[in-house]
Amino acid sequence: MPNTPTAPESLAIASGTPQQHREPFARLLHAHPETAFDYLEFRRLLAGQITAFAAERGSEEDMVRLQQRMQELEDAHSLDDPAQEAAADAAFHQAVYQMAGNAIMTHVMGTLFHMLKDGVFYDRSDLYLRRGVRDGFMRQHRAIYAAIVARNPEAARAAADAHIASTAEALREAQRADQRREVSVRRMEGLALTQKPRGEE
């Protein structure tokens, strides 16, 4: 087993990236919305393995902490508050990554999650407003949690992969819906311009 940092040390590694170092990169990514899928593709490469490591390596203290994050996620879900649920979602995943016992992975994923929470890649709260997305994400988080506490690395990896794939599909559908809305608005604006006001006929 690698020389595993304790959870507080892992948290310090994940949250200690100076903001001034992240900002130029974050601005670059924010200027190119298509990088949201690059982010999800990269996250999918790591998330499955990290979640498997969490199932293998998590200490009993880690399991207690993950249970707390899961309860917070359940509570936020029951309140029907997209912003609070999105925040609890991020806290849950960060707890999983801190359990992996790999300081580099924790640092990289922590940096990405800082940018994700800042809305660099996409609006997470907006996804939670989409029909069926919240319940689907909740089922996936429960599957990840169950696999980790059962110390089943393969099930944990599969659950993490399924969650990332579902997130990507939800984002694609959100973008398609936004595009349809924009087309509809432009069409209505075009009709308004061609119609004469009453009294001028």
Side-chain angles (χ1 to χ4, degrees):
M1 177 176 289
N3 183 16
T4 303
T6 62
E9 289 171 344
S10 295
L11 181 58
I13 291 168
S15 61
T17 305
Q19 184 176 1
Q20 63 268 28
H21 291 172
R22 296 196 309 266
E23 283 183 351
F25 185 48
R27 287 197 298 269
L28 174 64
L29 294 178
H30 192 64
H32 299 279
E34 67 276 7
T35 59
F37 295 101
D38 292 341
Y39 157 75
L40 289 171
E41 186 175 65
F42 179 76
R43 184 175 162 193
R44 190 170 186 178
L45 287 174
L46 287 184
Q49 185 59 59
I50 291 177
T51 309
F53 280 160
E56 290 177 352
R57 302 174 177 176
S59 67
E60 291 308 313
E61 292 79 8
D62 288 331
M63 294 296 180
V64 170
R65 191 176 300 107
L66 184 65
Q67 182 182 29
Q68 293 170 342
R69 299 291 87 78
M70 187 67 205
Q71 187 59 55
E72 291 167 2
L73 186 54
E74 293 278 8
D75 292 344
H77 185 71
S78 67
L79 291 173
D80 195 16
D81 184 335
Q84 184 172 339
E85 191 165 359
D89 178 330
F92 172 81
H93 284 291
Q94 286 182 304
V96 171
Y97 297 152
Q98 290 158 18
M99 294 172 70
N102 184 300
I104 301 301
M105 286 183 173
T106 303
H107 173 79
V108 170
M109 298 306 292
T111 300
L112 289 173
F113 260 84
H114 275 293
M115 292 192 290
L116 180 64
K117 287 190 290 185
D118 289 342
V120 171
F121 300 113
Y122 55 86
D123 185 345
R124 296 164 62 250
S125 297
D126 180 66
L127 282 187
Y128 271 98
L129 292 170
R130 305 285 173 172
R131 184 187 301 274
V133 170
R134 291 178 61 250
D135 290 339
F137 282 179
M138 194 69 241
R139 287 192 298 271
Q140 293 150 23
H141 289 131
R142 287 170 182 151
I144 292 170
Y145 174 75
I148 291 174
V149 298
R151 296 194 178 278
N152 186 331
E154 290 309 312
R157 186 196 311 276
D161 285 346
H163 178 53
I164 302 301
S166 177
T167 302
E169 181 53 36
L171 182 58
R172 288 189 187 93
E173 178 52 37
Q175 290 183 348
R176 287 193 290 264
D178 288 342
Q179 289 169 357
R180 289 194 294 269
R181 189 180 305 111
E182 289 174 4
V183 169
S184 178
V185 168
R186 288 197 298 269
R187 183 180 298 116
M188 295 301 295
E189 289 175 345
L191 287 174
L193 288 173
T194 59
Q195 291 176 347
K196 293 182 179 180
R198 292 190 176 186
E200 294 185 6
E201 296 177 355

